[in-house]
Amino acid sequence: MTRGRLRIYLGAAPGVGKTFAMLAEAARARERGRDVVVGFVETHDRARTAAQLDGLEAIPRKTLVHRGATFTELDVAAVIARAPKAALIDELAHTNVPGSKNAKRWQDVDEILDAGIDVVSTVNIQHLDSLNDVVRQITGVPQRETVPDEVVRRAERIELVDMSPEALRRRMAHGNVYAPDKVDAALSNYFRVGNLTALRELALLWVAGKVDDQLIRYRADHGIAGTWEARERVVVALTGDPEGDTLIRRAARIAARSKSVDLLAVHVTRPDGPASDGEPAALVRRRALVESLGGTYHQVVGDDVPRALLEFARGANATQLVLGASRRGRFAQILSRGVGVTATALSGSIDVHLVPHEAVRGVRGPARSPAALNRDRRIAGWALALLAVPLLTAVMLAFAERLTLPSEILFFLLLVVAVALVGGRWPALTAAVLGFALLNWFFTPPLHTLTISAPENLFALSIFVLVAAMVSTVVDQAARRSREAARSRADAEVLSTLAGHVLRGDAALPSLLARLKEVYGLESVTLLERDGDSWHVVATAGGPPSTSPGHADTDVPIDDDLVLAVRGRLLDAADRQVLEAFAAESAVALRQERLRAEADRARPLAEADRMRTALLAAVSHDLRNPLAAARAAVDGLRGTEVDWTPEDREELLATAGESLIKLDRLVSNLLDMSRLQAGVLGVTLEPLAVEDVVPQAIAELGPLRERVHDGFTGEVPEFMADAALLERVLVNLMSNAVRFSPAGGQVVISASAYGEHVEIRVVDRGPGIPPEAQERVFLPFQRLGDRQGVGLGLGLALSRGLTEAMGGTLTPEETPGGGLTMIVSLRRAS
């Protein structure tokens, strides 16, 4: 029996319309004559979703009793017995009621698929197993119902049902997702804009990865080796040479010409190549540059560099390849076309860019390889070659009558191999040539002459020299590769230490220099900086520091003014390459420390300047109006030109009183702001409940309290706050909200727990604040449009300062459907 096909509607969050889309597609399939039934669909009392069920046959659910409660679940046997062409089964990640045959609904679906029935289902991105911890970190809500990623990936079709966070929150506010009594709590917790944006990105990236997998599989199944330009990808080849920066920036400019272009940098290492195939320090810097430009760095191993580059590019479905112009001279290019020309010839549909650079002007000769063996072994090899060969000749002359020429050649060959194992190539070649001469003179007829009468003897001696040369070369190469492998392993360990240091965030200079001293067993490591004509120590680790580059055993210039100086022993060239990586990281750590210090110094100055500007604005704006009104009222009462009626006198006195109250409140706010800036505001934190603070704050509003609605639902845990300060914050927020709400409109105050915090939300339906102005309104005496009665004055600045003094935050958020929500977040009591 052919297994049924699975189709899934995937969404970022509840309410985006997965079930609605599934039912709409089922209605269209029914109109085309397809046999479709409803196995299990949950409408959640959404009228438009329920309306889509009209005309669709529904399989009766089975009833289960668990702990005295009755539940309904999908009847798998009934669906299989009905044998439709397709079945609609909602909520793939659902956990079945205990007592069901299967623990999870996706297992029920698997049985139905095995019966040859197609299944259409739905799932949210937060229910995927691999994303469970990520979703919990984002939303603070653990997901107990999950489905293995592989189950979803096996689906023949995955349809993404997408909706912007703002549109989903509007649906929530209009009651199209949850019941009205649950809307405020949902909007305050799980359905925040940030949460929904992050979940939407997860869903889009997961589906994009699925689409990429499908494309790769399709190309593999159909044997398509060519590049499909479904998406631009630019690959830049790096060698670790100085032109790498030029190539990376050129590739980045090519990638920047279009949107959503991937930049990939690749370095090809030969499997039998030298350990210095690309300077480690240079490659570390290139990798940092690539990642700073939004690209990714890759390293591959290949015998044939052009083919390895093209295989990587085709595997990544790249459309363009950026290479540096060849450094090789004209004669060398005659012998071998080089990487650039070869890659261009084999590129096919991939565009190849050959970028000129400064290094092309000169031809770089091959670097001289270091000796494969150490000095003692080379001396021993020469001694063995010059002494053992004559000694062997003397011994063999004593037994000349018993030996034949082939036996004598084998003895000499054995000696040459021994010399090669001890001293390497050149002592072994010398022993081979000397052995050839002695064999010819003493053991090859005619004796004691260099003439060889028999051709087979000449052939045997020639083979002896050739085999000796080959064996000595192989032994020398093996020793060289062994030494290079050991060096490569040591360099890798050192660079791994450096990478771990960076990833852990141990960017402090003393820590970095101490790590370098420990790795190389040095006496001291010092970072020096030029100060005019002298040097001064920036940071050091170990014993007495080097006071100048000339006093160091090894120094590595970082730039014109920075040098890394080490004492203790001389480092060879390979160690110096790794040392340069540490030097580059030291310069980065120094810059970071100085930037942090500069930011710390500038922060108080900026804050003082901001406060000075705010106070001047207060004097010129908010202080003037109440003073002028009070003075006018008092002058009018004192004057004798007008005979005021008792009602007029009462009104003038009321005006003067209100103006003085405003002035008193403003001065109190200014004093509190000054205390906040000076850090002398008294704050007493204690565990509080919502009932301890909110009713008193509402009562402080006076006549305005009639327009404030208490929207608390459920139990809210205690939080840490100062009761008097929090009451003042809430009074400011609620009075502002009432002031800007439409006539007769209600302001809602609610509270809920979110992770380790408790949030108190003040929600209005007024004109709201543009996103770009939401932070500006927290500046003291900042008024939108600078119009009287429109701004928020000092109240919000003081409210945020008081909230932060209690260890909380005050943030604005757009109210779904219009308006502004102010959120006071305070730490939960333990």
Side-chain angles (χ1 to χ4, degrees), residues 626-644 648-649 651-653 655-657 659-660:
L627 278 173
R631 180 176 179 179
V634 172
D635 288 345
L637 291 171
R638 293 177 58 188
T640 58
E641 294 83 0
V642 180
D643 186 14
W644 302 103
D648 293 335
R649 294 178 64 84
E651 185 176 352
L652 287 173
L653 287 172
T655 300
S659 299
L660 292 174

Side-chain angles (χ1 to χ4, degrees), residues 89-253:
I89 302 175
D90 208 1
E91 299 179 355
L92 187 63
H94 171 75
T95 300
N96 293 333
V97 175
S100 302
K101 177 182 178 182
N102 297 312
K104 305 288 288 186
R105 184 165 292 165
W106 64 263
Q107 296 170 322
D108 296 340
V109 168
D110 209 41
E111 283 192 27
I112 296 173
L113 292 172
D114 286 338
I117 301 171
D118 295 344
V119 173
V120 185
S121 189
T122 64
V123 72
N124 285 325
I125 194 67
Q126 68 265 27
H127 295 305
L128 296 181
D129 259 343
S130 64
L131 300 176
N132 188 263
D133 56 340
V134 178
V135 172
R136 179 172 184 174
Q137 182 180 4
I138 292 170
T139 64
V141 179
Q143 299 294 329
R144 295 180 176 84
E145 294 189 331
T146 60
V147 59
D149 288 46
E150 185 58 28
V151 173
V152 181
R153 288 188 180 277
R154 285 202 304 263
E156 185 179 82
R157 293 176 60 184
I158 296 179
E159 301 282 349
L160 177 65
V161 183
D162 188 33
M163 180 177 289
S164 69
E166 294 76 13
L168 180 55
R169 283 170 60 85
R170 282 195 298 271
R171 288 196 67 200
M172 293 282 297
H174 296 155
N176 295 332
V177 179
Y178 289 156
D181 59 334
K182 298 181 180 179
V183 170
D184 287 336
L187 291 174
S188 304
N189 293 282
Y190 194 87
F191 287 84
R192 301 162 179 260
V193 172
N195 290 357
L196 296 177
T197 302
L199 292 174
R200 187 187 189 198
E201 183 179 19
L202 285 177
L204 291 171
L205 290 174
W206 196 91
V207 173
K210 171 72 174 176
V211 172
D212 215 19
D213 292 343
Q214 290 175 338
L215 179 60
I216 293 173
R217 187 165 56 249
Y218 179 85
R219 294 175 65 216
D221 292 343
H222 292 77
I224 300 172
T227 300
W228 282 10
E229 299 185 17
R231 180 176 181 176
E232 287 282 345
R233 287 184 173 91
V234 179
V235 173
V236 54
L238 302 179
T239 62
D241 290 320
E243 69 272 12
D245 288 353
T246 302
L247 299 182
I248 292 170
R249 292 191 172 94
R250 176 61 174 163
R253 289 195 295 273

Side-chain angles (χ1 to χ4, degrees), residues 266 268 300-313:
V266 58
V268 179
V300 297
V301 177
D303 292 307
D304 190 329
V305 174
R307 293 184 185 275
L309 286 173
L310 291 172
E311 287 174 3
F312 175 85

Side-chain angles (χ1 to χ4, degrees), residues 46 209 273 279 286 379 402 471 501 585 616 626 651 683 685:
R46 298 167 190 165
E279 298 180 5
R286 305 295 177 269
I379 293 175
R402 302 180 183 180
V471 169
H501 184 276
E585 180 61 25
L616 289 174
E651 185 176 352
V683 180
L685 297 181

Side-chain angles (χ1 to χ4, degrees), residues 302-431:
D303 292 307
D304 190 329
V305 174
R307 293 184 185 275
L309 286 173
L310 291 172
E311 287 174 3
F312 175 85
R314 292 192 180 102
N317 200 24
T319 54
Q320 303 186 60
L321 177 63
V322 178
L323 302 169
S326 177
R327 296 166 170 263
R328 299 155 59 86
R330 294 182 179 178
F331 180 74
Q333 292 182 17
I334 293 174
L335 299 178
S336 174
R337 294 189 298 176
V339 174
V341 177
T342 305
T344 303
L346 302 175
S347 63
S349 59
I350 299 176
D351 298 337
V352 178
H353 303 263
L354 293 178
V355 179
H357 47 85
E358 292 294 327
V360 177
R361 296 178 181 177
V363 179
R364 180 181 65 177
R368 183 176 180 181
S369 301
L373 303 174
N374 58 40
R375 183 171 176 270
D376 292 340
R377 287 188 60 179
R378 294 199 303 273
I379 293 175
W382 283 111
L384 187 63
L386 297 177
L387 298 177
V389 172
L391 181 61
L392 177 63
T393 303
V395 172
M396 290 174 59
L397 284 174
F399 298 94
E401 295 179 356
R402 302 180 183 180
L403 298 174
T404 61
L405 182 59
S407 300
E408 294 160 348
I409 291 175
L410 288 177
F411 279 116
F412 272 97
L413 182 60
L414 179 62
L415 179 60
V416 170
V417 171
V419 172
L421 291 173
V422 174
R425 178 191 303 172
W426 295 111
L429 290 177
T430 301

